[in-house]
Amino acid sequence: MATKTLTPTKTTSTTIPRALAALTLVTLLATLGGLLLGLLYAGTDDQQGHIQRIFYIHMPAFFGAFVAFGTTVFGGLAYLRTRQAKWDTLALAGVETGLALAVVNLATGSIWARPIWNTWWTWDPRLTSAAIMALTYMAYLMLRAGIENPDQRRRFASVYGILAITTVIMTLVIIRIRPDTIHPAVIGSSPQNAEGGFGLTSSMLTALMGNLPVWGLLIPVTLMWWRVRLESVQERVEALKARLGEK
Amino acid sequence: MTPDTTAYLVLGLLVTFGLMGALVGSMLWRYRALRKDEQTLRQLLDEER
């Protein structure tokens, strides 16, 4: 029996946009630069030792998650207004990227807590709200994957993505409204800082300010852009499957 | 005396870059799989014409 060999007959454009390539390169270099600032330039904390340096990733990663989840809100609102699938794709990219950064934030916080608080985890209000936030966005991905109808899925995901931002805002403000948290407040003074806080010297502040735009903006934007590109290939494949099904 | 917490810093960095690498790796893996699917589907469509 003769068998046909499947060989590619037609290729579609795989060219990476120049802007994306440049942004990726800048992000990689900036990440390396930020890492060097935190490891080599910033002074060592007298009381915490080198583990304090993880803070230059821990806090900026949370702001990166905030930016990504904020993009999900924007994408969700734009989708509900226009019903164009591209906005839902942007919202999805925001959730995947934000979730990765939120998990980095949780993991680095837990690793910092082990030598400083003598525990990997405690059900402190700030830590609990951060965990709820991450779980809320994990649920977004799981629930979304369970809806077959594309329009229904996009509508549901948009509304969920908009409402889920409340968990991010709660995580941000909880150290200001709950006096029983032991999580240190980095910006501004706080009585909690006696439990392992951050009296930042100028070199530490420089390292923090250097890493904030890297983890808070460059990394989330670059990752979201790549994720949107991935989704566009997924959509092409779905369209081809539909065309093949019609024949 | 400053405590030696270097091992925790190394662990934190490994976890951070491991997680980010896993995300990038998963996107790359999904991209390659989709491109392969796309090429196969295009060929099937060409053959049906």
Side-chain angles (χ1 to χ4, degrees):
Chain A
M1 194 175 89
T3 54
K4 283 183 185 175
T5 311
L6 292 180
T7 48
T9 54
K10 189 178 178 183
T11 54
T12 49
S13 170
T14 54
T15 316
I16 299 164
R18 270 189 186 179
L20 178 57
L23 180 66
T24 306
L25 185 65
V26 168
T27 302
L28 285 172
L29 292 174
T31 305
L32 184 66
L35 194 62
L36 293 176
L37 264 182
L39 293 179
L40 303 176
Y41 179 76
T44 308
D45 187 288
D46 283 346
Q47 291 173 359
Q48 300 183 26
H50 289 302
I51 186 59
Q52 185 271 341
R53 297 177 196 277
I54 205 68
F55 158 73
Y56 306 123
I57 293 174
H58 173 72
M59 182 194 162
F62 179 82
F63 281 95
F66 182 72
V67 166
F69 294 145
T71 306
T72 298
V73 174
F74 176 76
L77 288 171
Y79 175 76
L80 291 176
R81 193 179 157 86
T82 64
R83 303 286 162 162
Q84 289 177 5
K86 66 179 180 182
W87 296 117
D88 175 60
T89 300
L90 181 66
L92 173 64
V95 170
E96 273 194 24
T97 304
L99 185 57
L101 290 165
V103 173
V104 165
N105 172 261
L106 278 173
T108 51
S110 174
I111 292 165
W112 173 85
R114 181 67 187 89
I116 306 301
W117 290 345
N118 201 30
T119 181
W120 293 103
W121 184 262
T122 176
W123 292 105
D124 171 84
R126 179 63 171 275
L127 275 65
T128 307
S129 69
I132 290 171
M133 177 186 84
L135 290 170
T136 303
Y137 284 99
M138 275 180 208
Y140 170 102
L141 294 175
M142 287 192 283
L143 291 169
R144 185 188 166 100
I147 302 172
E148 296 247 333
N149 182 302
D151 289 333
Q152 209 177 359
R153 181 175 60 227
R154 288 176 188 135
R155 213 165 47 241
F156 166 81
S158 298
V159 174
Y160 190 113
I162 293 164
L163 295 177
I165 198 75
T166 52
T167 63
V168 185
I169 294 165
M170 181 54 77
T171 306
L172 260 178
V173 301
I174 203 157
I175 52 170
R176 308 284 172 197
I177 58 175
R178 284 284 300 259
D180 54 334
T181 180
I182 58 168
H183 191 284
V186 175
I187 298 162
S189 61
S190 158
Q192 294 92 319
N193 287 7
E195 302 289 339
F198 298 94
L200 296 181
T201 62
S202 66
S203 70
M204 289 172 171
L205 199 62
T206 305
L208 175 63
M209 290 306 156
N211 275 288
L212 256 180
V214 177
W215 289 88
L217 198 65
L218 283 175
I219 289 177
V221 170
T222 308
L223 287 174
M224 283 190 288
W225 195 339
W226 279 107
R227 184 62 187 85
V228 166
R229 262 181 71 83
L230 176 68
E231 198 63 18
S232 68
V233 183
Q234 171 83 53
E235 280 164 12
R236 285 208 303 266
V237 168
E238 293 302 327
L240 285 169
K241 278 182 185 168
R243 272 174 62 192
L244 207 60
E246 285 166 10
K247 291 194 175 182
Chain B
M1 200 178 91
T2 305
D4 183 10
T5 52
T6 313
Y8 290 102
L9 174 65
V10 172
L11 177 64
L13 292 175
L14 285 175
V15 168
T16 297
F17 289 100
L19 282 166
M20 298 315 288
L23 176 67
V24 172
S26 118
M27 282 204 270
L28 200 66
W29 181 79
R30 284 182 283 174
Y31 181 78
R32 283 187 179 163
L34 283 169
R35 289 286 303 164
K36 211 171 158 184
D37 286 354
E38 186 183 11
Q39 285 182 340
T40 307
L41 287 165
R42 280 190 191 285
Q43 189 188 0
L44 287 171
L45 276 169
D46 284 351
E47 283 172 4
E48 285 199 4
R49 267 184 207 144

